[in-house]
Coordinates of all heavy atoms in Angstrom, one line a residue:
G40 N 283.3 264.8 66.8 CA 282.4 265.8 67.3 C 281.2 265.3 68.0 O 280.4 266.1 68.3
Q41 N 281.1 264.0 68.2 CA 280.0 263.4 69.0 C 280.5 263.2 70.5 O 281.6 262.8 70.7 CB 279.5 262.1 68.5 CG 278.9 262.2 67.1 CD 278.2 260.9 66.6 OE1 277.1 260.8 66.7 NE2 279.1 260.1 66.0
A42 N 279.5 263.5 71.5 CA 279.9 263.2 72.8 C 279.9 261.6 72.9 O 279.3 261.0 72.3 CB 278.9 263.7 73.8
Y43 N 280.9 261.1 73.8 CA 281.1 259.8 73.9 C 281.4 259.5 75.3 O 282.2 260.0 75.9 CB 282.3 259.3 72.9 CG 282.6 257.9 73.1 CD1 281.9 256.9 72.6 CD2 283.8 257.5 73.8 CE1 282.3 255.5 72.7 CE2 284.1 256.2 73.9 CZ 283.3 255.3 73.4 OH 283.7 253.8 73.5
A44 N 280.7 258.4 75.8 CA 281.0 257.8 77.2 C 281.4 256.4 77.1 O 280.7 255.6 76.7 CB 279.8 258.0 78.1
D45 N 282.8 256.1 77.4 CA 283.2 254.7 77.3 C 282.5 253.9 78.5 O 281.7 254.5 79.2 CB 284.7 254.6 77.5 CG 285.2 255.3 78.7 OD1 284.5 255.4 79.6 OD2 286.4 255.4 78.6
T46 N 282.7 252.6 78.5 CA 282.1 251.8 79.5 C 282.3 252.3 80.9 O 281.4 252.3 81.7 CB 282.6 250.3 79.3 OG1 282.4 250.0 77.9 CG2 281.9 249.4 80.2
A47 N 283.6 252.6 81.2 CA 283.8 253.1 82.6 C 283.0 254.4 83.0 O 282.5 254.4 84.1 CB 285.3 253.4 82.7
A48 N 282.8 255.3 82.0 CA 282.1 256.5 82.2 C 280.6 256.2 82.4 O 279.9 256.8 83.2 CB 282.3 257.5 81.1
Q49 N 280.1 255.1 81.6 CA 278.7 254.8 81.7 C 278.4 254.2 83.1 O 277.5 254.5 83.8 CB 278.4 253.7 80.7 CG 278.3 254.3 79.3 CD 278.2 253.3 78.3 OE1 277.3 252.3 78.4 NE2 278.9 253.3 77.1
K50 N 279.4 253.4 83.6 CA 279.2 252.7 85.0 C 279.3 253.8 86.0 O 278.5 253.8 87.0 CB 280.3 251.7 85.1 CG 280.1 250.4 84.4 CD 281.1 249.4 84.7 CE 280.8 248.1 83.9 NZ 281.9 247.1 84.0
E51 N 280.2 254.8 85.8 CA 280.3 255.9 86.8 C 279.1 256.7 86.8 O 278.6 257.1 87.8 CB 281.4 256.7 86.5 CG 281.7 257.9 87.4 CD 282.9 258.7 87.1 OE1 283.9 258.2 86.7 OE2 282.8 259.9 87.2
K52 N 278.4 257.0 85.7 CA 277.2 257.8 85.5 C 276.0 257.1 86.1 O 275.2 257.7 86.8 CB 277.0 257.9 83.9 CG 275.8 259.0 83.7 CD 275.7 259.2 82.2 CE 274.6 260.0 81.7 NZ 274.6 260.3 80.4
W53 N 275.9 255.8 85.9 CA 274.6 255.1 86.4 C 274.9 254.1 87.5 O 274.0 253.6 88.0 CB 274.0 254.3 85.2 CG 273.5 255.1 84.1 CD1 272.9 256.4 84.2 CD2 273.8 255.0 82.8 NE1 272.6 256.9 83.0 CE2 273.1 256.1 82.0 CE3 274.5 254.1 81.9 CZ2 273.2 256.3 80.6 CZ3 274.4 254.3 80.5 CH2 273.8 255.3 79.9
G54 N 276.2 253.9 87.8 CA 276.5 253.0 89.0 C 275.9 251.7 88.7 O 276.1 251.0 87.7
A55 N 275.2 251.2 89.7 CA 274.6 249.8 89.7 C 273.3 249.7 89.0 O 272.5 248.7 89.1 CB 274.4 249.3 91.2
L56 N 272.9 250.8 88.3 CA 271.6 250.8 87.6 C 271.6 250.1 86.3 O 271.7 250.6 85.3 CB 271.1 252.2 87.4 CG 270.9 253.0 88.6 CD1 270.5 254.5 88.2 CD2 269.8 252.4 89.5
R57 N 271.7 248.8 86.3 CA 271.9 247.9 85.2 C 270.7 248.1 84.2 O 270.8 248.0 83.0 CB 272.0 246.4 85.6 CG 273.4 246.0 86.0 CD 273.4 244.6 86.2 NE 274.7 244.2 86.4 CZ 275.2 243.1 86.9 NH1 274.2 242.2 87.4 NH2 276.4 242.7 87.0
R58 N 269.5 248.3 84.9 CA 268.3 248.5 84.1 C 268.5 249.6 83.1 O 268.0 249.6 81.9 CB 267.0 248.8 85.1 CG 265.8 249.0 84.4 CD 264.7 249.2 85.4 NE 265.1 250.1 86.5 CZ 264.8 251.5 86.4 NH1 264.3 252.0 85.2 NH2 265.1 252.3 87.4
I59 N 269.1 250.7 83.6 CA 269.2 251.9 82.7 C 270.3 251.6 81.6 O 270.1 251.9 80.4 CB 269.8 253.1 83.6 CG1 268.9 253.5 84.7 CG2 270.2 254.3 82.7 CD1 267.6 254.2 84.2
R60 N 271.5 250.9 81.9 CA 272.4 250.5 80.9 C 271.8 249.6 80.0 O 272.1 249.7 78.7 CB 273.7 249.9 81.6 CG 274.6 251.0 82.1 CD 275.9 250.3 82.7 NE 275.5 249.3 83.7 CZ 276.4 248.8 84.6 NH1 277.7 249.1 84.3 NH2 276.0 248.0 85.5
R61 N 270.9 248.8 80.4 CA 270.3 247.8 79.6 C 269.4 248.4 78.5 O 269.3 248.0 77.4 CB 269.6 246.7 80.4 CG 268.9 245.6 79.6 CD 270.0 244.7 79.0 NE 269.3 244.0 77.8 CZ 269.9 244.0 76.6 NH1 271.0 244.4 76.2 NH2 269.2 243.3 75.7
K62 N 268.7 249.5 79.0 CA 267.8 250.2 78.1 C 268.6 250.8 76.9 O 268.1 250.7 75.8 CB 267.0 251.3 78.9 CG 266.0 251.9 78.1 CD 265.2 253.0 79.0 CE 264.1 253.7 78.3 NZ 263.4 254.6 79.1
V63 N 269.6 251.4 77.2 CA 270.4 252.0 76.1 C 271.0 251.0 75.1 O 270.9 251.1 74.0 CB 271.6 252.9 76.7 CG1 272.6 253.3 75.6 CG2 271.0 254.1 77.5
S64 N 271.4 249.8 75.7 CA 272.0 248.7 75.0 C 270.8 248.1 74.0 O 271.1 247.8 72.9 CB 272.4 247.6 75.9 OG 273.6 248.0 76.6
Q65 N 269.7 248.0 74.7 CA 268.5 247.5 73.8 C 268.2 248.4 72.6 O 268.0 248.1 71.7 CB 267.3 247.4 74.8 CG 266.1 246.8 74.0 CD 264.9 246.8 74.9 OE1 265.0 246.9 76.1 NE2 263.7 246.5 74.3
A66 N 268.3 249.8 72.9 CA 268.0 250.7 71.8 C 269.1 250.6 70.7 O 268.7 250.6 69.5 CB 267.9 252.1 72.3
V67 N 270.3 250.4 71.1 CA 271.3 250.2 70.1 C 271.2 248.9 69.4 O 271.4 248.8 68.1 CB 272.7 250.4 70.7 CG1 273.9 250.0 69.8 CG2 272.9 251.8 71.4
E68 N 271.0 247.8 70.2 CA 270.8 246.5 69.4 C 269.6 246.4 68.5 O 269.8 245.8 67.5 CB 270.6 245.4 70.6 CG 271.9 245.2 71.4 CD 271.5 244.3 72.6 OE1 270.5 243.8 72.7 OE2 272.4 244.2 73.5
E69 N 268.5 247.1 68.9 CA 267.3 247.0 68.0 C 267.5 247.9 66.8 O 266.7 247.6 65.8 CB 266.1 247.4 68.8 CG 265.7 246.5 69.8 CD 264.3 246.9 70.6 OE1 263.6 247.8 70.1 OE2 264.1 246.2 71.6
T70 N 268.5 248.8 66.7 CA 268.7 249.5 65.5 C 270.0 249.2 64.8 O 270.4 249.8 63.9 CB 268.7 251.0 65.9 OG1 269.8 251.3 66.8 CG2 267.4 251.6 66.4
A71 N 270.6 248.2 65.3 CA 271.9 247.7 64.7 C 271.9 247.6 63.2 O 271.0 247.1 62.7 CB 272.4 246.4 65.4
G72 N 273.0 248.3 62.6 CA 273.0 248.3 61.2 C 272.1 249.2 60.5 O 272.1 249.2 59.2
K73 N 271.4 250.0 61.1 CA 270.5 250.9 60.5 C 271.0 252.3 60.5 O 271.6 252.7 61.5 CB 269.1 250.9 61.2 CG 268.5 249.6 61.0 CD 267.0 249.7 61.5 CE 266.4 248.2 61.1 NZ 265.1 248.1 61.7
S74 N 270.9 253.0 59.4 CA 271.4 254.4 59.3 C 270.5 255.1 58.2 O 270.0 254.6 57.3 CB 272.8 254.3 58.7 OG 273.4 255.6 58.4
W75 N 270.4 256.5 58.4 CA 269.7 257.3 57.4 C 270.6 257.6 56.2 O 270.2 257.9 55.1 CB 269.3 258.6 58.0 CG 268.1 258.5 58.9 CD1 268.1 258.3 60.2 CD2 266.8 258.3 58.6 NE1 266.9 258.2 60.7 CE2 266.0 258.2 59.7 CE3 266.0 258.3 57.3 CZ2 264.6 258.1 59.7 CZ3 264.7 258.2 57.4 CH2 264.0 258.1 58.5
Y76 N 271.8 257.4 56.3 CA 272.7 257.9 55.3 C 272.9 256.9 54.2 O 273.1 255.7 54.5 CB 274.1 258.1 55.9 CG 275.2 258.5 55.0 CD1 275.1 259.6 54.2 CD2 276.3 257.7 54.7 CE1 276.1 260.0 53.3 CE2 277.3 258.0 53.8 CZ 277.1 259.2 53.1 OH 278.1 259.6 52.2
M77 N 272.7 257.3 53.1 CA 272.8 256.4 51.8 C 273.7 257.2 50.9 O 273.6 258.3 50.7 CB 271.5 256.0 51.2 CG 270.7 255.2 52.1 SD 269.0 254.8 51.4 CE 269.4 254.1 49.8

């Protein structure tokens, strides 16, 4: 039930805007392994 964009959809959405893709990647990397659910 979550929206999901695979790598191809992300490239189509942002095209050559690597800076934008990198920002999302950075947010995911900086929170890797963290969850509210216990």
